[in-house]
């Protein structure tokens, strides 16, 4: 654009000069013709350049695109010339910075050569060159030996009369010392302390920034500057005040009382810097979060007062802080939402974007609080900024009412074609949340998704739509038929193999249970004829599931599969042969590996595929006369720990990527019950049988201690398996042979059967140890003292562990583990509690009364449910916080399969006492008495 304006101005100037020359020469025809010809050529050149610039406006161009490191290092020799050319040196220094920014690595020798060449340039007086030298020195990362030269050179600049040089020298020297040799801070401490209270704001701010960096490496020295920092906090300059507050918080952050005093004093004295005010708001919010349930009212009043600040930045920071407070009430959000609603109408795009983004987050937890802003957000759907429009759409989808869904979808239809795929994915995720919120509108929403699915788009966009349809089919039973039809239409023209195989798998699972399963066979068989080998193999498996599930379709399915016996691909042929053999042998009762066809294909594998593969390899290496059965497959502790780690990482990644609105199913390994099912496959625990129930995770050490231990109790028919999740928080230690020793003297009904230690527990890598207890008699309850025993090796965090270190035995005392009545109860709710209660009768009924020390009925109710280990029925546990009387209906299954019911009547006797009447019924008086006594 600059070139265009330049040539346009040049053309106007030349045209005027030509006209003046023509007038001066009396209108000579030759000169006029030459001038006109020249002007025409200049005009065409300008127009051509304008077109070229418009064409290449979005194309990135870098003058250093083909720059080579060797060439730059060769050019650096000019730093040693007797006559320094500042412009040439500036160009070379810029190239060096560009190479470093691109990730180019310099060897120690190359760094040294450049460093000494740069230090020679510091003698030149050119200010532009000098400022660039500061940047290069900071990016070069000199060695500790070279830092001495840097200190000697830059110390002169710190005493310079030029404030610009002083400030830059402070920044560079502070950054270099913090990165290489923090002990050298004592040599320049005097200069930094003087600069903190310097009259020049740039110098003072530079010293404060250096202090923030040095605080991380040498906090003892920086803490001595607290008086100077407090003096700088009273500065009138916004930048100095902001950095002074940041450094003061860094100095005192270990002392919560000191931080609270600073924040309290500053909230009463208004700060002149908007940036410092925003920082103070963040500190106040952090203190309110650390205070727990007792929120500081003075700090909350400060946040509300900040909503009336003259700076938009401070207003938004205060609104965001209030909205992000944990357990914030809806009435407390009202002032913040009012301010954000005004921002929605701001002419500044940044204000509109920040407001709608914050309202989008609030809508996840408090959708009703954002509803008053819906009219203003509807006006943002057509905003020129597509990010603002997308956030407005997604927020409206979260807060809109059921009656406004149709109108909103009409607006979105025209909007979707104007945005990129990344924004479309966000909208699709919001539509998924709306469909699960209003399942009655699934037809309208699924029709919309099916229409956009047929439009052009990338893989991630199409996958988001398919995943949304799959979630709706899984959560809304009425949508299954329509959803499968839409997906069948999509795979007719799907170019993505992964999506085709995913849909074919779903058709094989859900299709046989529909009203007309035969209509899906045509779509599936078309994939056998028209698609690649991967899709054909998936289609063969889907057809086989129809044949196994539906008897009257089995002959037709067999014929279709027989046509695949001569397929070009090995995998397709093998699957076809396998399924044809399986289908023809169903009527005769044939089995494979001890499993019927239905259980083999339609039920999930009871073991992970990795364990099945390992067992097959072991069997092939040492075959026996007895055929391999899936019941013989075992899983070792190392494989189980690896699967747990992978499942946890996948769950964390899914929650971050999908967000709260997404309906991503949690991995199976995330639940303790699923983990217990795999535990019974370990060789040490194959004899325990089927799992009865699993408890919640119980911490045996505090978070942040040397060794963190969490226990999960898994109950079986006559065994109790304790799974201990371990975490080593010491960076300089490596633990091995880690076990948890149990003192069972206080619980005579339990006996230790076996230990499975954690072989290795490095720093920051979780591990698991197990203990199997055998139940001798009755239902043993009590507390078990626990001790963590291990072999510890001292390691260097920089180099890692060495094999030469033998290690030594050590132990760590843990908290006691309680085995209570709730561990022997499975949470099972019943649909009709009253009928089940009457069917048991009062022959084995036990009634007890208690006085509980709790502040509210809700707290008492939650505690009683945990004590009993039973499940609330008929939504009886849903009660407001201020209720004074409550009746909770509980149901569960006791060890051995005995159904137990309980009615809990709660009444608030005083502010800190709750009266309870507990009635328990079962078919065994001993069980009823045991359950009733568990509360005491």
């Amino acid at each position: 654009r600059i070139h265009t304006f330049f040539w346009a101005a040049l053309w106007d100037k030349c045209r005027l000069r030509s006209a003046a020359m023509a007038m001066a020469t009396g209108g000579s025809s030759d000169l006029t013709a030459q001038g006109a010809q020249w002007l025409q050529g200049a005009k065409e050149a300008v127009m051509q350049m304008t077109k070229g610039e418009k064409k290449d406006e979005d194309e990135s161009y870098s003058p250093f695109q083909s720059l080579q490191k060797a060439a730059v290092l060769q050019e650096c020799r000019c730093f040693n010339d007797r006559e320094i050319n500042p412009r040439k040196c500036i160009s070379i220094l810029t190239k060096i910075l560009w190479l470093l920014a691109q990730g180019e690595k310099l060897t120690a020798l190359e760094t040294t050569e450049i460093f000494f060449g740069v230090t020679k340039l510091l003698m030149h007086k050119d200010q532009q060159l000098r400022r660039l030298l500061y940047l290069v020195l900071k990016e070069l990362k000199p060695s500790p030996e070279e830092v001495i030269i840097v200190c000697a050179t830059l110390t002169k600049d710190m005493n310079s009369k030029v404030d610009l040089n002083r400030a830059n020298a402070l920044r560079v020297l502070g950054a270099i010392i913090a990165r290489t040799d923090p002990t050298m801070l004592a040599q320049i401490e005097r200069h930094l302390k003087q600069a903190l209270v310097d009259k020049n704001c740039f110098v003072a701010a530079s010293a404060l920034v250096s202090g923030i960096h040095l605080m991380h490496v040498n906090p003892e020295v920086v803490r001595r500057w607290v008086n100077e920092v407090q003096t700088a906090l009273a500065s009138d300059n916004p930048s100095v005040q902001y950095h002074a507050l940041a450094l003061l918080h860094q100095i005192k952050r270990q002392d919560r009382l000191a931080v609270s005093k600073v924040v309290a004093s500053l909230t009463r004295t208004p700060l002149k810097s908007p940036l410092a005010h925003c920082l103070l708001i963040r500190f106040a919010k952090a203190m309110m979060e650390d205070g727990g349930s007792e929120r500081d009212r003075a700090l909350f009043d400060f946040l509300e007062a900040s909503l009336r600040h003259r700076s938009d930045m401070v207003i938004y920071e205060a609104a965001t802080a209030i909205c992000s407070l944990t357990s914030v009430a809806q009435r407390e959000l009202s002032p913040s939402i009012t301010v954000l609603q005004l921002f929605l109408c701001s002419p500044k795009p940044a204000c509109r974007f920040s407001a709608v983004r914050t309202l989008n987050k609030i809508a996840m937890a408090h959708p009703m609080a954002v509803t008053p802003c819906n009219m203003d957000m509807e006006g943002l759907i057509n905003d020129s900024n597509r990010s603002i429009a997308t956030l407005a759409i997604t927020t409206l989808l979260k807060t809109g009412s059921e009656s406004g869904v149709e109108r909103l979808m009409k607006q979105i239809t025209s909007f979707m074609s104007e945005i990129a795929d990344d924004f479309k994915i966000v909208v699709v995720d919001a539509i998924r949340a709306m469909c699960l919120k209003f399942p009655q509108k699934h037809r309208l929403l699924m029709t919309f998704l099916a229409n956009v699915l047929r439009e052009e788009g990338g893989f991630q966009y199409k996958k988001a739509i398919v995943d949304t349809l799959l979630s709706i089919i899984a959560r809304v039973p009425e949508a299954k038929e329509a959803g499968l039809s839409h997906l069948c239409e999509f795979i007719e023209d799907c170019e993505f193999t992964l999506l085709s195989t995913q849909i074919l798998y779903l058709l094989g699972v859900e299709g046989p249970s529909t009203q007309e399963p035969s209509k899906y066979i045509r779509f599936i068989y078309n994939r056998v004829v028209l698609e690649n080998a991967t899709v054909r193999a998936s289609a063969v498996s889907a057809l086989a599931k129809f044949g196994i599930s539906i008897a009257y379709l089995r002959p037709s399915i067999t014929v279709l599969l027989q046509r695949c016996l001569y397929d070009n691909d090995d995998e397709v042929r093998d699957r076809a042969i396998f399924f044809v053999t399986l289908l023809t042998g169903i009527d005769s009762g044939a089995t494979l590996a001890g499993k019927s066809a239905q259980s083999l294909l339609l039920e999930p594998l009871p073991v992970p595929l990795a364990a099945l593969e390992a067992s097959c390899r072991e069997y092939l290496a040492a075959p026996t006369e007895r055929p391999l059965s899936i019941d013989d497959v075992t899983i070792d502790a190392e494989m189980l720990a690896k699967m747990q780690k992978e499942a946890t990482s996948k769950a964390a990644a899914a929650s971050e990527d999908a967000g709260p609105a997404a309906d991503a199913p949690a991995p199976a390994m995330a639940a303790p019950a699923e983990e217990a099912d795999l535990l019974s496959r370990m060789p040490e625990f194959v004899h325990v049988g089927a799992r009865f129930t699993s408890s919640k995770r119980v911490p045996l050490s505090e978070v942040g201690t040397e060794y963190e231990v969490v226990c999960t109790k898994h109950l079986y028919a006559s065994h109790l398996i304790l799974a201990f999740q371990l975490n080593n928080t010491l960076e300089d230690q490596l633990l091995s042979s880690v076990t948890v020793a149990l003192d069972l003297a206080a619980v005579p009904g339990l006996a230790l059967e076996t230990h499975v230690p954690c072989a290795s527990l490095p720093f920051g890598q979780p591990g698991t140890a197990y203990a199997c207890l055998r139940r001798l008699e009755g239902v043993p309850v009590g507390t078990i003292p626990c001790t963590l025993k291990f072999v510890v090796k001292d390691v260097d965090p920089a180099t890692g562990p060495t094999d030469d270190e033998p290690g030594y035995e050590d132990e760590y005392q843990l908290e006691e583990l309680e085995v209570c009545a709730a561990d022997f109860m499975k949470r099972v709710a019943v649909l009709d509690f009253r009928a089940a209660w009457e069917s048991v009768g009062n022959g084995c009924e036990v009634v007890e009364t208690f006085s509980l020390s709790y502040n509210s009925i809700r707290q008492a109710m939650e505690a009683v449910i945990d004590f009993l280990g039973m499940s609330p029925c008929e939504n009886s546990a849903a009660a407001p916080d201020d209720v004074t009387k409550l009746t909770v209906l509980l149901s569960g299954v006791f060890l051995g399969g005995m159904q137990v019911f309980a009615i809990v009547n709660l009444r608030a006797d005083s502010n800190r006492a709750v009266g309870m009447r507990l009635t328990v019924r079962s078919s065994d008086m001993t069980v009823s008495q045991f359950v009733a006594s568990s509360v005491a």
Side-chain angles (χ1 to χ4, degrees):
R1 292 192 182 98
I2 295 175
H3 288 302
T4 303
F5 294 146
F6 169 74
W7 283 107
L10 180 61
W11 181 64
D12 291 338
K13 185 176 181 180
C14 293
R15 185 179 58 183
L16 293 174
R17 180 175 293 181
S18 175
M21 290 176 63
M23 293 176 61
T25 55
S28 173
S29 59
D30 294 338
L31 187 58
T32 302
Q34 292 178 2
Q37 186 177 1
W38 187 89
L39 286 174
Q40 184 63 28
K43 182 179 179 181
E44 291 177 358
V46 170
M47 296 301 294
Q48 188 68 24
M49 290 187 63
T50 304
K51 291 180 181 179
E53 286 178 1
K54 289 182 178 179
K55 180 180 179 181
D56 301 336
E57 188 173 353
D58 296 332
E59 296 180 4
S60 60
Y61 170 73
S62 173
F64 308 127
Q65 195 163 4
S66 57
L67 194 63
Q68 298 294 326
K69 183 178 74 170
V72 177
L73 294 176
Q74 188 74 17
E75 293 178 0
C76 289
R77 295 182 179 180
C78 70
F79 296 162
N80 300 318
D81 295 345
R82 295 184 62 182
E83 295 292 334
I84 300 297
N85 186 348
R87 302 281 76 79
K88 184 179 180 181
C89 294
I90 288 173
S91 175
I92 298 172
L93 293 174
T94 305
K95 294 177 183 179
I96 295 173
L97 290 173
W98 186 87
L99 288 174
L100 295 174
Q102 298 302 311
E104 191 75 43
K105 300 296 183 182
L106 297 176
T107 64
L109 180 60
E110 293 169 348
T111 303
T112 303
E113 290 179 355
I114 296 176
F115 172 77
F116 282 108
V118 167
T119 53
K120 293 179 181 179
L121 296 179
L122 287 171
M123 295 183 293
H124 203 277
K125 303 299 183 181
D126 188 89
Q127 289 298 320
Q128 188 177 0
L129 175 61
R130 198 172 194 82
R131 294 176 65 184
L132 202 58
L133 289 173
Y134 291 131
L135 289 177
V136 174
L137 285 173
K138 189 169 64 172
E139 296 296 331
L140 276 180
K141 301 177 183 178
S143 62
E145 294 80 10
E146 297 165 350
V147 171
I148 301 175
I149 302 175
V150 175
C151 288
T153 305
L154 295 182
T155 302
K156 298 178 180 179
D157 287 353
M158 286 192 294
N159 297 320
S160 173
K161 296 181 180 180
V162 181
D163 292 333
L164 185 64
N165 292 347
R166 291 171 57 205
N168 284 324
L170 288 169
R171 285 177 179 267
V172 174
L173 197 54
I176 292 176
I177 290 177
R179 200 164 46 219
T180 55
D181 189 5
T183 59
M184 297 191 65
L185 176 58
Q187 300 181 15
I188 64 169
E189 182 184 5
R190 179 175 60 85
H191 301 285
L192 286 171
K193 291 181 70 174
Q194 291 176 355
L196 289 173
V197 293
D198 195 272
K199 295 181 180 180
N200 186 279
C201 58
F202 186 37
V203 174
S206 299
L208 291 166
V209 171
S210 299
I212 294 173
H213 291 306
L214 293 167
M215 184 66 193
H216 300 291
V217 295
N218 201 338
E220 293 79 9
V221 176
V222 180
R223 287 195 180 99
R224 298 200 293 258
W225 307 347
V226 63
N227 294 330
E228 288 79 6
V229 175
Q230 288 177 340
T231 303
L233 186 60
S235 173
D236 294 334
N237 185 269
S239 178
V240 174
Q241 196 174 52
Y242 167 70
H243 290 105
L245 179 58
L247 181 55
L248 186 63
H249 181 265
Q250 289 282 334
I251 293 173
K252 298 189 175 185
R253 65 177 178 178
Q254 302 295 338
D255 187 354
R256 189 174 182 276
L257 181 60
V259 173
S260 63
K261 288 182 179 179
V262 171
V263 173
S265 62
L266 292 176
T267 53
R268 294 189 294 267
T269 305
L271 296 171
K272 298 180 180 180
S273 170
L275 287 171
H277 201 127
C278 291
L279 200 58
L280 182 61
I281 289 173
R282 296 190 180 186
F283 296 156
K285 175 185 174 293
M287 288 189 58
M288 294 173 68
E289 296 287 359
D290 294 340
S293 58
E294 298 181 1
R295 187 180 297 161
D296 192 340
R297 188 63 201 177
L299 294 179
F300 191 82
D301 292 341
F302 165 71
L303 296 182
E304 285 193 332
S306 300
L307 295 174
R308 298 182 290 274
H309 199 272
R310 62 178 180 273
S311 172
D312 291 342
M313 178 171 52
V314 175
I315 295 173
Y316 174 71
E317 188 68 35
T320 306
I322 293 175
C323 295
S324 59
L325 286 172
T326 55
S327 65
V328 62
Q330 186 166 330
R331 58 181 177 80
E332 296 175 329
L333 290 173
S334 181
S336 301
I337 292 177
T338 303
V339 168
L340 295 173
Q341 187 175 4
L342 295 175
F343 274 23
L344 293 176
C345 305
S346 172
K348 302 176 182 178
C351 291
R352 298 198 304 273
F353 174 78
S354 57
V356 72
R357 183 170 177 265
T358 305
L359 291 172
N360 187 282
K361 293 181 180 178
I362 300 172
M364 298 176 185
H366 303 279
M368 297 303 297
V370 187
T371 304
C373 306
N374 284 0
M375 293 299 296
D376 296 293
M377 281 189 287
E378 286 187 11
L380 297 178
I381 294 178
N382 298 320
D383 195 280
S384 57
N385 189 309
R386 296 290 87 186
S387 299
I388 296 175
T390 304
L391 287 170
I393 284 287
T394 54
T395 308
L396 288 170
L397 289 171
K398 295 173 186 175
T399 61
S401 61
E402 188 173 358
S403 58
V405 172
E406 296 184 10
R407 176 172 53 85
L408 192 58
M409 298 310 296
K410 289 180 181 178
Q411 292 178 303
I412 296 177
T413 303
S414 59
F415 169 79
M416 291 290 283
S417 60
E418 302 174 2
I419 59 177
D421 283 0
D422 293 339
F423 295 132
K424 291 179 182 179
I425 293 173
V426 177
V427 175
V428 169
D429 289 338
I431 291 175
R432 168 170 31 183
M434 170 169 271
C435 189
L436 299 179
K437 182 180 178 182
F438 304 120
Q440 297 83 0
K441 296 293 183 180
H442 71 271
R443 293 186 181 276
L444 173 65
L445 297 174
M446 291 185 73
T447 302
F448 170 80
L449 292 173
N451 291 334
V452 297
L453 189 59
R454 299 188 187 98
E455 297 176 358
E456 294 293 330
F459 170 73
Q460 295 297 335
Y461 173 47
K462 298 284 185 172
K463 186 177 185 300
I465 300 175
V466 171
D467 290 343
T468 299
L469 291 172
L470 296 182
S471 298
I472 296 172
I473 291 172
R475 298 286 294 275
V476 184
E478 299 83 4
K480 182 167 73 171
E481 298 268 353
L484 292 178
S485 299
H486 290 314
L487 292 174
C488 286
E489 294 292 339
F490 170 63
I491 61 174
E492 287 291 314
D493 191 26
C494 179
E495 57 182 324
F496 304 109
T497 300
L498 179 62
L499 298 182
S500 296
T501 54
Q502 186 179 8
I503 294 170
L504 287 170
Y505 173 79
L506 178 70
L507 289 174
V509 174
E510 301 290 345
S513 61
T514 57
Q515 295 181 355
E516 295 184 53
S518 57
K519 68 179 182 180
Y520 302 110
I521 295 177
R522 174 176 64 87
F523 295 100
I524 298 175
Y525 187 70
N526 284 347
R527 310 280 66 75
V528 177
V529 178
L530 302 173
E531 295 289 352
N532 56 49
T534 304
V535 178
R536 294 202 304 272
S538 298
V540 167
S541 298
L543 286 173
K545 291 178 182 178
F546 277 83
I548 292 172
S549 303
I550 307 170
Y552 73 88
L553 290 178
R554 194 172 299 145
S556 302
I557 298 294
T558 304
V559 172
L560 294 177
L561 291 177
Q562 286 175 345
R563 298 179 182 177
C564 304
L565 296 177
Y566 302 101
D567 193 274
N568 296 330
D569 186 73
D570 295 343
E571 177 70 19
V572 178
R573 288 199 307 273
D574 292 345
R575 291 197 186 196
I577 294 171
F578 172 74
F579 290 128
V580 167
T581 306
L582 203 62
L583 291 176
T584 54
I586 285 180
D587 296 332
S588 61
T591 61
L592 182 64
K595 297 287 184 179
S596 64
Q598 287 82 355
S599 62
L600 193 64
L601 289 184
L602 304 182
E603 296 178 4
L605 283 174
V607 293
L609 282 176
L612 180 60
E613 181 185 1
S615 297
C616 290
R617 292 183 183 277
E618 292 176 2
Y619 185 82
L620 291 175
T624 60
E625 296 182 358
R626 182 173 178 270
L628 178 65
S629 173
I630 198 154
D631 297 328
D632 301 329
V633 178
T634 59
I635 178 172
D636 57 10
E638 187 175 337
M639 183 182 297
L640 183 60
K642 182 180 179 181
M643 294 175 62
Q644 290 173 346
K645 184 177 179 180
E646 292 177 354
T648 304
S649 60
K650 287 181 180 179
S655 62
E656 291 178 2
D657 296 340
D663 185 39
M669 287 299 302
E674 301 293 340
E675 176 186 332
D677 290 337
L678 291 178
L679 281 179
S680 61
R681 290 283 181 174
M682 293 175 60
E684 297 85 356
F685 306 140
V686 291
H687 61 286
V688 299
R691 177 189 59 87
F692 179 71
T693 186
S694 299
S695 72
K696 295 181 179 179
R697 299 178 185 271
V698 181
L700 300 183
S701 64
E702 295 182 0
V703 178
T705 56
E706 296 95 328
Y707 313 110
E708 299 175 351
V709 182
V710 179
C711 178
T712 305
K713 293 167 280 187
H714 305 290
L715 184 67
Y716 297 81
S718 57
H719 291 81
L720 181 66
I721 296 180
L722 305 179
F724 300 97
Q725 270 77 37
L726 312 171
N727 185 30
N728 175 21
T729 63
L730 298 180
E731 192 174 3
D732 57 349
Q733 287 188 1
L734 171 64
L735 309 185
S736 59
S737 302
V738 186
T739 59
V740 178
L742 306 172
D743 185 2
L744 300 176
V747 189
L750 292 175
L752 180 63
E753 191 169 273
T754 182
H755 268 301
V756 179
C758 177
S760 178
L761 190 65
F763 164 73
Q765 298 184 16
T768 308
Y770 302 95
C772 182
L773 308 179
R774 186 174 68 256
R775 188 166 55 87
L776 301 177
E777 57 181 1
V779 183
V781 294
T783 56
I784 304 175
C786 303
T787 305
L788 188 69
K789 295 189 175 183
F790 46 85
V791 176
V792 60
K793 296 180 181 180
D794 295 328
V795 299
D796 186 357
T799 60
T802 59
D803 297 335
D804 301 335
E805 179 69 28
Y808 55 91
E809 294 185 357
D810 200 357
E811 61 182 39
Y812 182 78
Q813 193 66 37
L814 302 175
E815 296 181 7
E816 294 182 342
L817 175 65
E818 183 180 4
V819 180
C820 56
D823 297 329
F824 300 90
M825 184 77 69
K826 181 190 292 186
R827 297 174 181 259
V828 179
V830 294
L831 297 178
D832 191 348
F833 181 86
R834 298 297 177 182
W837 176 266
E838 296 298 334
S839 65
V840 175
N842 59 358
C844 300
E845 181 178 282
V846 177
V847 180
E848 298 283 353
T849 58
F850 302 91
S851 180
L852 308 177
S853 299
Y854 290 99
N855 295 331
S856 65
I857 285 185
R858 173 170 287 279
Q859 293 181 4
M861 175 197 68
E862 294 173 351
V864 170
I865 292 175
D866 287 339
F867 289 150
L868 299 177
M870 303 173 74
S871 176
C873 301
E874 300 180 2
N875 202 26
S876 58
D881 295 333
D882 55 351
V883 67
T884 57
K885 291 183 179 181
L886 182 64
T887 299
V888 185
L889 311 178
L890 302 176
S891 171
V893 177
F894 195 72
L895 179 65
M898 184 178 299
Q899 190 78 42
V900 182
F901 302 99
I903 297 179
V904 182
N905 301 106
L906 299 171
R907 182 188 69 254
D909 291 340
S910 63
N911 291 334
R912 305 186 68 84
V914 176
M916 183 183 74
R917 183 176 184 269
L918 175 63
T919 307
V920 180
R921 285 186 182 183
S922 70
S923 57
D924 190 332
M925 179 59 74
T926 305
V927 174
S928 298
Q929 292 174 348
F930 176 78
V931 173
S933 63
S934 64
V935 178

